[in-house]
Amino acid sequence: MKRNIRILSTAILSLAAITSCSSPNSATLSPADKLIEKIETGIENKVIMVGHQDDPLYGHLWKYEPNRSDVLEVIGDYPAVMGWEIGGLELGNTESLDGVPFDLLRTEIQNQHQRGGINTISWHAFNPLTGSDSWDECPEVVTSILEGGKNHEMFLDRLSIVTNYFLSLKDQNGELIPIIFRPWHEHDGNWFWWGDKWCTHQEYRQLWDLTYNYMTSRGLNNLVWCYMPMPGDDALDKTPPTEQFDMLGIDAYQGKDNVEKYRDNVISKLDLLKEYKQRYNKPIAITETGSESLPTENWFMEVVVPLIEDQPISYVLFWRNAWDKPEHFYCSYKGHSSEDDFRKFNALPYIISAKDVVKYTEK
Ligand code: BMA
């Protein structure tokens, strides 16, 4: 799914079109290329897609009820973008670290694709060195899984399991479903074993390279690789080569009622994103955000809206509403005091949910 391969194939297609006197058919684009085109079209049309993590799988105090969704119950539609988590898949587990069965997850990915919506996947990978989870802050893990490291083969096995799962994400016609994939996210912090403190910039790039090359070589042409630029990084240093990523995203959370800090953080990260957008000519998004338990009144309209209106972002994704932790929710749900505010947010003409994705993102 390298950009230069795309350019080459576009050139071949254009030539074919000239010789056959017909226009290039979008059916010949890879699933990833089609999704990138949709994302770019949405930005050109100045719409922002609303996203929610794990939306139809579970919500505030409920889980696995077919067709249920906290967002649906508040706004009358599913989110345009659904985020999913695969941590634990690489161990051969049948359920994710959040207890979600991967078979059920596949079905919901297919449902979201079928309704015209967009899927994105994050991966809180377990620590291959200690066996603990991804928050196991620990040096030498990345070194141990790179080529020559003692866990390299083990890591390739894990990549293989993840790749096999991605290869199983197919639509009714047997076509691979496009996915925005966000591996090795939030590497600017130190809370994950791939965090900034735990590996050099070069090792991080090698980790990305290994992941990208392995998965691509196994035939995954449905992944839109999303890289998170690092604030303060004066570029090109940690950033993967341009042909190894397709879009850019940031994650930013509001701590308890700390609105000012959140604003400053989002503004500076968006500035960085736009700088990268310009430099690399790739679409951008707010790939994770939220304020746990939504303590700030009218948070969506008064805090989020001023930050995102007029910004050239593809989507904004609010983090999950856990079924088993009553305080751990980032999106509105039926009965919560933020309901009206979230409805107003979604009623803005430029905020779109699942039913409008095709209309605004397909040419
Ligand atoms: C975190 C929290 C955790 C969860 C993880 C992966 O931000 O929501 O409870 O396990 O994401 O989904």
Side-chain angles (χ1 to χ4, degrees), residues 81-148:
V81 179
M82 289 187 184
W84 316 105
E85 168 57 39
I86 55 162
L89 175 68
E90 73 281 5
L91 304 179
N93 295 346
T94 53
E95 291 186 355
S96 77
L97 78 170
D98 297 321
V100 173
F102 290 115
D103 284 342
L104 184 61
L105 179 53
R106 182 188 300 106
T107 303
E108 290 301 348
I109 289 173
Q110 289 164 334
N111 290 345
Q112 175 68 349
H113 182 67
Q114 176 73 22
R115 66 172 75 92
I118 288 171
N119 290 289
T120 173
I121 288 184
S122 55
W123 181 19
H124 288 78
F126 280 74
N127 183 330
L129 190 63
T130 65
S132 189
D133 61 26
S134 61
W135 293 269
D136 186 17
E137 301 182 18
C138 174
E140 308 291 327
V141 190
V142 175
T143 339
S144 85
I145 60 180
L146 294 176
E147 210 172 331

Side-chain angles (χ1 to χ4, degrees), residues 53-54 85 97-98 124 135 253 319-320 325 328 330:
Q53 184 73 6
D54 279 351
E85 168 57 39
L97 78 170
D98 297 321
H124 288 78
W135 293 269
Y253 286 91
W319 200 243
R320 69 196 195 105
K325 299 179 197 162
H328 198 57
Y330 295 83

Side-chain angles (χ1 to χ4, degrees), residues 158-191:
R158 293 185 180 189
L159 276 182
S160 172
I161 294 173
V162 171
T163 302
N164 291 341
Y165 186 74
F166 280 135
L167 286 168
S168 78
L169 302 177
K170 293 188 174 163
D171 66 13
Q172 298 150 315
N173 305 321
E175 287 241 351
L176 285 172
I177 295 174
I179 306 281
I180 299 169
F181 185 39
R182 307 190 297 118
W184 318 129
H185 66 307
E186 298 177 14
H187 58 93
D188 56 327
N190 300 319
W191 45 88

Side-chain angles (χ1 to χ4, degrees), residues 229-266:
M230 195 172 112
D233 180 19
D234 48 9
L236 306 173
D237 170 36
K238 199 170 185 183
T239 311
T242 178
E243 67 276 14
Q244 290 189 356
F245 64 97
D246 305 290
M247 69 179 290
L248 296 145
I250 50 158
D251 295 1
Y253 286 91
Q254 181 180 307
K256 290 256 176 259
D257 240 352
N258 204 339
V259 179
E260 281 317 312
K261 201 167 160 205
Y262 174 71
R263 276 197 190 110
D264 292 348
N265 190 19
V266 173

Side-chain angles (χ1 to χ4, degrees), residues 9-306:
S9 57
T10 310
I12 293 167
L13 282 173
S14 311
L15 195 63
I18 292 164
T19 48
S20 71
C21 294
S22 62
S23 58
N25 185 343
S26 77
T28 49
L29 293 175
S30 73
D33 287 334
K34 283 187 212 164
L35 179 51
I36 294 169
E37 203 173 81
K38 283 176 71 140
I39 291 168
E40 284 170 345
T41 306
I43 294 178
E44 277 163 30
N45 286 334
K46 299 193 187 316
V47 291
I48 299 178
M49 296 185 279
V50 67
H52 187 214
Q53 184 73 6
D54 279 351
D55 183 76
L57 288 169
Y58 57 80
H60 182 69
L61 305 182
W62 63 269
K63 73 167 173 173
Y64 314 148
E65 294 179 28
N67 306 320
R68 192 168 175 189
S69 142
D70 280 346
V71 169
L72 177 68
E73 287 178 3
V74 176
I75 69 162
D77 191 18
Y78 289 100
V81 179
M82 289 187 184
W84 316 105
E85 168 57 39
I86 55 162
L89 175 68
E90 73 281 5
L91 304 179
N93 295 346
T94 53
E95 291 186 355
S96 77
L97 78 170
D98 297 321
V100 173
F102 290 115
D103 284 342
L104 184 61
L105 179 53
R106 182 188 300 106
T107 303
E108 290 301 348
I109 289 173
Q110 289 164 334
N111 290 345
Q112 175 68 349
H113 182 67
Q114 176 73 22
R115 66 172 75 92
I118 288 171
N119 290 289
T120 173
I121 288 184
S122 55
W123 181 19
H124 288 78
F126 280 74
N127 183 330
L129 190 63
T130 65
S132 189
D133 61 26
S134 61
W135 293 269
D136 186 17
E137 301 182 18
C138 174
E140 308 291 327
V141 190
V142 175
T143 339
S144 85
I145 60 180
L146 294 176
E147 210 172 331
K150 68 172 179 181
N151 289 324
H152 183 61
E153 291 304 320
M154 177 217 267
F155 184 64
L156 289 184
D157 287 345
R158 293 185 180 189
L159 276 182
S160 172
I161 294 173
V162 171
T163 302
N164 291 341
Y165 186 74
F166 280 135
L167 286 168
S168 78
L169 302 177
K170 293 188 174 163
D171 66 13
Q172 298 150 315
N173 305 321
E175 287 241 351
L176 285 172
I177 295 174
I179 306 281
I180 299 169
F181 185 39
R182 307 190 297 118
W184 318 129
H185 66 307
E186 298 177 14
H187 58 93
D188 56 327
N190 300 319
W191 45 88
F192 297 135
W193 53 259
W194 58 88
D196 201 45
K197 189 169 163 189
W198 309 118
C199 59
T200 65
H201 286 188
Q202 200 196 3
E203 284 165 349
Y204 180 86
R205 265 210 322 264
Q206 286 169 349
L207 175 62
W208 187 281
D209 185 77
L210 174 62
T211 312
Y212 178 89
N213 283 330
Y214 179 86
M215 291 187 152
T216 309
S217 72
R218 291 274 314 274
L220 285 173
N221 65 354
N222 59 330
L223 300 187
V224 170
W225 292 75
C226 182
Y227 173 70
M228 196 198 77
M230 195 172 112
D233 180 19
D234 48 9
L236 306 173
D237 170 36
K238 199 170 185 183
T239 311
T242 178
E243 67 276 14
Q244 290 189 356
F245 64 97
D246 305 290
M247 69 179 290
L248 296 145
I250 50 158
D251 295 1
Y253 286 91
Q254 181 180 307
K256 290 256 176 259
D257 240 352
N258 204 339
V259 179
E260 281 317 312
K261 201 167 160 205
Y262 174 71
R263 276 197 190 110
D264 292 348
N265 190 19
V266 173
I267 290 168
S268 71
K269 284 185 169 179
L270 274 176
D271 283 348
L272 182 78
L273 261 193
K274 285 186 282 183
E275 197 186 306
Y276 269 66
K277 182 181 191 314
Q278 190 87 11
R279 187 184 310 154
Y280 292 100
N281 191 23
K282 306 205 186 209
I284 60 175
I286 299 183
T287 45
E288 281 185 36
T289 196
S291 172
E292 190 179 31
S293 300
L294 292 166
T296 313
E297 216 181 314
N298 301 327
W299 187 74
F300 294 99
M301 286 302 287
E302 285 171 22
V303 180
V304 179
V305 166

